[in-house]
Amino acid sequence: MTSGQVRRTLVPMSDEYSQPTLELSRTFEGWWLPRRPLCCDDDYSQLVRRSRTDALRCKHIEANPSALVNTIVVDIDDANAKAMALWGHRGMLPNWIAENPANGHAHAGWVLTYPVPRTDMARLKPLKLLHAVTEGLRRSVDGDEGYSGLLMKNPLSDAWDSDLCREDTYDLPDLVAALEEHGDMPPKSWTRTKRAREVGVGRNCTLFDEARTLAYRQVRRLPDRTPASSDLLREYVRRTCHEINASFPDPLPVREVNDTAKSIHKWITTRSRMWRDGAVANAATFVAIQSARGRKGGRGNKRDKQGNVQNAFKQKAELFGKEMMGQ
């Protein structure tokens, strides 16, 4: 029986894990950041942006603003979802749970003390750590692998049975430590899997990594560093980002893609040496680096070949000596 199957057999937990009497409305509104969020009721085709006040009257609301992530949401499609979110989660209890009373399915949310930027000059390392923590929390509750994290059940809607489970917010390192202690933190190799790169925050990491790598190559093809070349690079990066995004099963919003493209172009043209040093110097540096790598690889191969020859000669000499001695 797997850990997920074990969790599915659990009965609802006692009130020591949840505190429905706490002021959920006041606390949640303090955590929730979007100002004009996407929202809807049951018909996702009616998804539109509304004011914050109007959105909080809907069943489903956008979990985070486009530029920041401060709430990690996991979708638990199980009749015992609430129990699965609470059982065995000492040190990493969700801050809130919104449960569907009709089938027991729920969304559980963990709120971060320091939001993680995901566009406009955002650092990639915290974003990747956020992605890994999100996967760890999903594994800890056997959550839905395909959930994108865009919309969540509104804990303040009367459609759901919602509980406030913890008022203190989390630092990412605290969640990492708790997930590692429980054995739910994914290994580093997980980031190379197809699902990790195409779902949730992984799309932002993949988009940024792949687009910037292609942009660096494009810079070497530009003849100069004039404003005209900058405009050509801007258009190339924007087009490349949208092409990569189109390959995702659940593409990112257009605004996020445009922000990522803007971030890559801005960093290259204002901070990178490949732009600052000029086209000629950049080309010369690239050739020098490639030549050095080639020489290093050649020396290594030569040493390996020499070592193989010496070992083979030594083995033959020993065999010849044994034959001469009649052994």
Side-chain angles (χ1 to χ4, degrees), residues 65-119:
S66 60
L68 296 169
V69 175
N70 86 312
T71 303
I72 301 173
V73 183
V74 177
D75 180 24
I76 315 172
D77 291 333
D78 192 280
N80 293 315
K82 182 177 178 181
M84 293 164 67
L86 299 174
W87 179 267
H89 279 70
R90 293 294 187 184
M92 56 178 187
L93 284 174
N95 291 96
W96 56 264
I97 299 173
E99 180 186 31
N100 185 343
N103 56 20
H105 297 187
H107 281 176
W110 288 259
V111 182
L112 302 178
T113 305
Y114 304 103
V116 178
R118 53 180 168 181
T119 56

Side-chain angles (χ1 to χ4, degrees), residues 126-142:
L127 196 59
K128 289 184 175 180
L129 182 60
L130 171 67
H131 186 32
V133 168
T134 302
E135 171 64 11
L137 292 172
R138 185 202 67 77
R139 293 183 179 195
S140 75
V141 298
D142 197 23

